[in-house]
Amino acid sequence: TMAAPVKLNEVFKIQSMGIRPDCITFANCTMESEKFITVREQNGEQVTIHTIDLLSPQRSEKRPIAADAALMNPVARILALRAGQQIQVYNIELKTKMKQTVMTDAVVYWKWISAGTMALVTASAVFHWSMDGSSEPVKVFDRLPAMSACQIINYRADEHEKWMVLIGISVATDGSNRIVGSMQLFSAEKNVSQSLEGHAAAFSQFTVEGASAPSTLFAFANKGAAGSKLHIIEVVKGSDTAPPFQKRNVDIQFPADAAQDFPVAMQISDKYGVIYMITKFGYLYVYDVETATLIFANRVSQETIFTTCINSTTGGVLGINRLGQVLHVQVDDSTIVNFLQNQMGNIGLAMKIAARAMLPGAEQLYSANFDQMLRSGMFKEAAEMAAKSPNGVLRTPNTINKFKAAAQAFPQQPNPLLLYFSKILEDSKLNAIESIELARPVLQQGKQQLLQKWLEDGKLECSEDLGDLVKQVDGQLALSIYLRGNVPAKVIQCFVETQQFDKILLYANKVGYTPEWDKIIATMVMINPDGALKLAQMLVNQEGGSRLNVAAVAEIFLTRNMLQQTTAFLLDALKNNRPEEGALQTKLLEINLRAAPQVAEAILSNNMFTHYDRPTVGKLCEMAGLFQRALEHFTETADQKRVIVHASQMQPDFLLEWFGNLPDVSKSVELLREMMAKDLRANLQVCVQIATRYSEAIGTPTLITLFEEYKSMEGLFYYLGSIVNFSTDENVHYKYIVACTKVSMMRNDFKELERITRESTFYPAVKVKDFLKSETKLPDPRPLINVCDKNDMVEELTQYLYGKGMMKYIEVYVQKVNPFRTPQVVGALIDGNCPEDQIRSLVMSVRNMCPAEGLVAACQKRNRLR
């Protein structure tokens, strides 16, 4: 006998976990997928929940939990527990509670309809509970009155959750004890329910021949008083242009010894396109979903299989019977095609199942018929067959080459390849290879608008190769293809070439693509430097941190001598002033100090950076003539001395503050000495300001010595002038008078010298008198007059003035300064052999302001009294 088209095996025995057989029932045992089984076991008051991992039985667990029911998620290690009207959902791996809710009415049936949604059925309604967020169960529809007396045994939803079916059973009321199946089919879009007779049902995604998208099929089986039927209908059409699915209904033949049997479960394998129907007595029926052809029927279990699920990996079906056997039935890939072709004589079905499941040899099965059509010149039929072949089993490069060969062999016939493409385009789309092959002749004929239309209609599979082909003719159309084909590198390349720079980063972020940005920027720099800069700035300002190798991008700008762009980019990239960016901060300052010192000055003045190489930048500032900035950066005395000589080019306020921050006085003196030694004239004013500000810290004697060392009477004059009025030091006053004398003579302005000699009470009188007398070129004797008058040295003053021929100053002195000193003046003049008429004239000019007694005494002393 020929091998069966399906294979059966036992994958697990539930009793092997030590679970009591009486707990292996519909109420206590659930299986939502090929991954997990849950069993509720009760011993007295103690309830244990077993979670069996079918893929890794050693990971199976049991927990003492007071729950009425348990249900494992079909995908993840997530356990739902129901106790009364309270439901809680736990993530076992994370050991956390995910969700909980309390239902108003008791739950009579529950099921996971997807990895993220649970269905909850009460006596009156059906609810869906999403595991997302904190959402509560939402009512989907109310139960029809016809379902009120039923025991709910299943609930199914299609993968889009647009169609649902609730399935229940009850005992017939006609006295026959027949088990009646009742179903409520609900359309979510129309919000309409329909009552049907049926014991088992399932949804399937099936691509009808000629369709570009799968249809949603609804299959259900019923055993009624009038007989048993399998129905298959289309509830959602796959594509508008595709032909509708041909509705099917066939009789179900039960064996004579199982006349009371009826369907209890249905699963559909989309992989093979077959329906697995299981009956109460343990029979398995396998039907083709498209034609409802019965492929196989046999008993697979002596005990009732009370729960089933599809095995998403194998395309088979899993079932648990009352003995605790977990059975697995699947199409046997090695025998199915031979069975259908030779045992059933149905080569068409053999070809279709082979194509759907991509079984080895599927293409050969189709190719035999296809090749025969080509040899017979039946190009239209061959094109139709290849275009509509299930799962595109004939839509291969080999088929395209055969059509090309046929076109060359029969040049007078319509082009078979174009016939083939047109058949596909009627209600489907071309695959990647077909799209390229069709594009070649279309582009050669200059009919890009046809490609554009097919592209907009979704008829082409966009790929990098198609984009590359089209780009030779039309860059914008190629960009559309790259975008649709998700070829981000080429999309960005097109954006660069078409100078749509503002779209580059938006697109990369949208599709989550991280290109080699430095290469893109290097290309952009040659086309549009400002565009490259803008993109680089957007990248470094990207939320979540820079995506650029900042140094590499800066080098790209710099190698093209784009100083402005380099600077703008680095200012943006380095604005956060991170320690690890010190080298780049130094680079930024270096390039500007060498080429654009005014820009560097602006950067430094903003105090943006603190991690660069300060000595290096200091030397560059010095070379650029930014001496004040250089001084800010230097700490070595040799460097400071070299730069400080340019003090006249620095801000006085800066220098004053800078000197105040020097670590010791000796360095201040050393630097002041350097300033005076190298350029006294230029630096004098600021030296005086520094000396004045820090006179107390440095010491007046030191500063006096310093000014004198460089023979700077002017410096001494200004420095001492700023402190003399507050000083009681006679040396300060003396040195100031000396400096004042020198400066007054240079300026021929003796007002300050006259003032200080008149107002000061702290200078050494004799020393000052001797100094003023020694200055033989002093044209104005008033300072000397002040000193001598205040310190009772009038006779010596008179002799000095008379000896210098300054008789008029003697007259001024006695007439205006101090008439009471006239006797001393007269005495000195007599001693100096001044003519009597001059003396008489002087005395007469003073008249009664002259003290008579003193005058008489002075004359009498010198025997000149008459």
Side-chain angles (χ1 to χ4, degrees):
T1 59
M2 185 169 289
V6 299
K7 54 186 177 181
L8 167 70
N9 65 300
E10 180 186 293
V11 296
F12 194 72
K13 191 91 170 184
I14 294 177
Q15 286 96 322
S16 67
M17 301 296 293
I19 297 170
R20 294 202 326 275
D22 64 309
C23 297
I24 305 170
T25 63
F26 176 77
N28 292 314
C29 184
T30 59
M31 177 176 63
E32 298 291 274
S33 72
E34 71 272 19
K35 292 186 176 183
F36 307 107
I37 293 172
T38 57
V39 182
R40 179 183 182 274
E41 184 178 30
Q42 185 164 357
N43 290 299
E45 296 297 316
Q46 178 68 46
V47 176
T48 301
I49 302 296
H50 298 265
T51 56
I52 301 168
D53 189 324
L54 286 173
L55 303 181
S56 303
Q58 69 276 10
R59 296 184 67 192
S60 300
E61 298 172 327
K62 61 179 181 179
R63 296 177 179 83
I65 302 173
D68 298 334
L71 202 61
M72 279 293 282
N73 183 278
V75 174
R77 297 182 73 82
I78 292 171
L79 177 65
L81 298 169
R82 178 159 54 87
Q85 286 160 227
Q86 184 174 17
I87 302 172
Q88 297 180 335
V89 182
Y90 293 90
N91 186 313
I92 295 174
E93 298 205 298
L94 298 178
K95 297 180 179 177
T96 57
K97 184 194 292 184
M98 290 173 56
K99 306 266 288 189
Q100 69 174 0
T101 191
V102 178
M103 298 293 290
T104 306
D105 298 319
V107 174
V108 297
Y109 184 82
W110 62 339
K111 185 177 183 64
W112 291 97
I113 58 171
S114 69
T117 305
M118 181 186 292
L120 304 169
V121 182
T122 68
S124 60
V126 174
F127 297 81
H128 285 183
W129 189 20
S130 169
M131 294 298 107
D132 292 337
S134 57
S135 58
E136 289 290 319
V138 175
K139 185 168 79 170
V140 182
F141 60 89
D142 290 314
R143 286 175 57 173
L144 293 173
M147 299 288 292
S148 60
C150 294
Q151 175 195 353
I152 302 301
I153 61 168
N154 212 338
Y155 177 76
R156 310 297 295 271
D158 76 306
E159 69 173 38
H160 304 297
E161 296 182 25
K162 292 183 177 180
W163 285 85
M164 300 89 184
V165 63
L166 182 64
I167 306 166
I169 55 173
S170 58
V171 178
T173 55
D174 59 4
S176 64
N177 289 327
R178 181 173 55 87
I179 301 299
V180 177
S182 301
M183 300 193 306
Q184 180 175 344
L185 181 64
F186 177 74
S187 166
E189 288 186 338
K190 297 177 182 177
N191 195 28
V192 171
S193 285
Q194 180 181 353
S195 181
L196 299 170
E197 284 190 24
H199 293 78
F203 293 98
S204 171
Q205 295 298 114
F206 180 80
T207 304
V208 178
E209 187 174 298
S212 58
S215 299
T216 300
L217 304 183
F218 174 58
F220 65 98
N222 178 54
K223 183 176 183 182
S228 303
K229 288 275 189 180
L230 169 67
H231 303 269
I232 309 169
I233 60 174
E234 182 180 52
V235 290
V236 179
K237 197 173 181 183
S239 53
D240 294 336
T241 56
F245 177 82
Q246 187 67 44
K247 179 166 53 172
R248 305 288 182 183
N249 60 80
V250 294
D251 291 332
I252 302 170
Q253 302 295 331
F254 291 102
D257 59 350
Q260 302 304 310
D261 201 5
F262 62 90
V264 292
M266 183 182 290
Q267 300 290 344
I268 300 179
S269 168
D270 291 339
K271 175 182 177 180
Y272 294 100
V274 299
I275 299 170
Y276 300 107
M277 187 186 79
I278 294 173
T279 70
K280 174 79 171 176
F281 289 180
Y283 281 87
L284 168 72
Y285 291 77
V286 181
Y287 293 92
D288 171 46
V289 76
E290 182 180 17
T291 61
T293 301
L294 178 64
I295 297 171
F296 177 81
N298 209 339
R299 195 167 196 174
V300 293
S301 173
Q302 297 301 313
E303 294 290 330
T304 298
I305 294 173
F306 59 84
T307 186
T308 65
C309 69
I310 200 74
N311 186 326
S312 60
T313 305
T314 65
V317 63
L318 285 161
I320 304 174
N321 66 18
R322 288 177 178 170
L323 293 176
Q325 291 177 294
V326 182
L327 302 174
H328 180 249
V329 180
Q330 73 175 97
V331 170
D332 190 335
D333 291 353
S334 64
T335 62
I336 182 70
V337 172
N338 192 32
F339 180 87
L340 293 171
Q341 192 173 355
N342 298 314
Q343 179 78 12
M344 292 182 63
N346 193 336
I347 189 168
L349 184 56
M351 290 165 62
K352 285 181 178 179
I353 288 181
R356 290 171 196 159
M358 294 294 190
L359 298 180
E363 186 179 351
Q364 286 77 5
L365 275 173
Y366 270 79
S367 288
N369 277 359
F370 174 70
D371 291 346
Q372 180 59 43
M373 289 178 182
L374 283 182
R375 286 194 293 272
S376 305
M378 301 168 64
F379 298 143
K380 186 175 180 182
E381 292 80 357
E384 177 100 24
M385 180 182 187
K388 312 291 186 187
S389 59
N391 266 350
V393 71
L394 274 184
R395 289 176 58 180
T396 63
N398 190 30
T399 296
I400 290 171
N401 290 332
K402 288 178 180 179
F403 277 128
K404 285 181 178 178
Q408 291 178 345
F410 300 92
Q412 72 285 359
Q413 294 263 19
N415 189 318
L417 186 61
L418 295 181
L419 275 175
Y420 169 58
F421 290 148
S422 65
K423 283 294 179 185
I424 296 172
L425 290 170
E426 281 177 7
D427 47 30
S428 186
K429 63 179 282 188
L430 303 180
N431 63 30
I433 295 168
E434 293 161 352
S435 299
I436 292 167
E437 291 296 337
L438 177 58
R440 290 189 202 282
V442 170
L443 290 171
Q444 286 169 0
Q445 296 168 25
K447 296 180 179 178
Q448 291 93 293
Q449 69 276 11
L450 269 178
L451 281 181
Q452 181 72 51
K453 183 178 185 307
W454 289 329
L455 198 61
E456 290 170 357
D457 293 344
K459 294 293 187 179
L460 304 178
E461 183 175 327
C462 296
S463 65
E464 184 171 358
D465 289 340
L466 178 62
D468 293 347
L469 177 67
V470 172
K471 193 178 178 187
Q472 299 169 24
V473 177
D474 189 330
Q476 200 58 43
L477 184 56
L479 174 58
S480 296
I481 292 168
Y482 292 138
L483 281 165
R484 287 177 166 87
N486 192 24
V487 190
K490 292 292 178 71
V491 170
I492 289 173
Q493 184 181 329
C494 285
F495 282 148
V496 171
E497 291 169 359
T498 54
Q499 299 195 33
Q500 299 181 66
F501 305 124
D502 54 328
K503 296 181 180 178
I504 294 174
L505 184 58
L506 289 172
Y507 169 76
N509 287 342
K510 182 179 178 182
V511 299
Y513 177 65
T514 305
E516 295 182 69
W517 288 114
D518 48 347
K519 290 184 178 178
I520 291 170
I521 290 168
T523 303
M524 287 178 64
V525 160
M526 296 183 282
I527 304 168
N528 185 325
D530 290 337
L533 170 62
K534 183 179 177 183
L535 176 61
Q537 289 174 319
M538 288 168 69
L539 286 165
V540 295
N541 290 320
Q542 182 78 7
E543 188 175 336
S546 173
R547 298 183 178 186
L548 281 183
N549 181 332
V550 174
V553 172
E555 197 61 32
I556 289 168
F557 287 117
L558 204 53
T559 50
R560 294 191 164 269
N561 204 28
M562 294 176 178
L563 180 61
Q564 186 177 341
Q565 285 83 358
T566 307
T567 301
F569 168 65
L570 285 177
L571 282 173
D572 228 350
L574 306 178
K575 63 180 177 292
N576 292 319
N577 190 28
R578 299 183 182 95
E580 63 270 21
E581 295 168 345
L584 283 171
Q585 292 180 2
T586 306
K587 184 81 169 177
L588 170 61
L589 291 167
E590 178 184 355
I591 59 178
N592 280 287
L593 284 166
R594 292 187 186 279
Q598 69 282 6
V599 176
E601 166 63 32
I603 295 170
L604 289 167
S605 66
N606 285 329
N607 296 316
M608 292 176 66
F609 306 127
T610 58
H611 303 292
Y612 54 85
D613 185 334
R614 295 184 70 82
T616 297
V617 169
K619 287 185 173 63
L620 290 165
C621 287
E622 182 183 357
M623 290 166 58
L626 301 178
F627 299 116
Q628 181 172 312
R629 293 295 176 196
L631 196 58
E632 282 179 333
H633 290 78
F634 286 143
T635 55
E636 295 297 321
T637 303
D639 293 328
Q640 292 170 337
K641 287 171 71 175
R642 194 174 60 251
V643 173
I644 199 71
V645 299
H646 302 286
S648 61
Q649 299 178 46
M650 305 180 200
Q651 291 293 325
D653 288 345
F654 160 76
L655 277 170
L656 289 170
E657 185 177 346
W658 186 81
F659 264 88
N661 292 325
L662 288 174
D664 58 68
V665 169
S666 61
K667 179 172 269 197
S668 300
V669 174
E670 190 175 353
L671 292 170
L672 282 170
R673 179 174 281 109
E674 189 73 12
M675 292 164 71
M676 293 183 192
K678 292 291 176 21
D679 196 345
L680 178 60
R681 180 177 295 278
N683 295 330
L684 181 60
Q685 185 176 352
V686 74
C687 285
V688 170
Q689 288 176 295
I690 293 165
T692 302
R693 172 75 68 89
Y694 303 108
S695 178
E696 188 175 336
I698 298 173
T700 303
T702 302
L703 289 166
I704 290 172
T705 302
L706 192 59
F707 282 111
E708 288 180 336
E709 183 181 333
Y710 292 99
K711 298 180 175 56
S712 178
M713 284 298 122
E714 190 175 4
L716 197 57
F717 166 69
Y718 284 119
Y719 163 56
L720 293 175
S722 67
I723 66 170
V724 71
N725 293 333
F726 311 102
S727 175
T728 59
D729 185 335
E730 67 171 24
N731 191 50
V732 169
H733 285 255
Y734 172 72
K735 292 291 186 182
Y736 179 62
I737 290 170
V738 172
C740 190
T741 302
K742 302 290 187 185
V743 172
S744 297
M745 289 176 68
M746 285 189 288
R747 298 177 177 176
N748 196 27
D749 182 353
F750 299 93
K751 290 178 183 176
E752 175 60 16
L753 183 57
E754 190 278 329
R755 182 199 69 79
I756 192 64
T757 53
R758 173 168 35 83
E759 294 180 359
S760 173
T761 57
F762 300 107
Y763 55 78
V766 175
K767 196 174 181 181
V768 171
K769 178 251 316 178
D770 290 343
F771 166 72
L772 290 174
K773 284 173 66 179
S774 69
E775 290 294 320
T776 54
K777 294 180 180 179
L778 194 65
D780 188 341
R782 285 178 298 170
L784 181 60
I785 293 170
N786 290 339
V787 174
C788 293
D789 177 58
K790 287 173 65 178
N791 294 283
D792 199 18
M793 295 183 285
V794 175
E795 291 180 7
E796 187 179 349
L797 168 67
T798 305
Q799 291 171 358
Y800 172 79
L801 293 176
Y802 182 72
K804 293 289 185 181
M806 295 180 175
M807 191 67 191
K808 68 173 184 176
Y809 282 101
I810 296 173
E811 293 173 359
V812 170
Y813 173 66
V814 297
Q815 290 170 4
K816 295 183 178 180
V817 177
N818 196 346
F820 296 102
R821 296 283 192 183
T822 303
Q824 290 95 317
V825 172
V826 169
L829 286 173
I830 292 171
D831 293 341
N833 298 316
C834 178
E836 284 188 15
D837 58 336
Q838 284 188 3
I839 295 173
R840 192 180 298 115
S841 173
L842 179 68
V843 172
M844 290 301 289
S845 68
V846 179
R847 292 183 181 276
N848 58 352
M849 286 189 291
C850 174
E853 284 184 26
L855 183 60
V856 169
C859 292
Q860 193 173 22
K861 180 181 176 183
R862 293 166 177 79
N863 298 316
R864 298 290 293 269
L865 186 63
R866 296 179 185 179

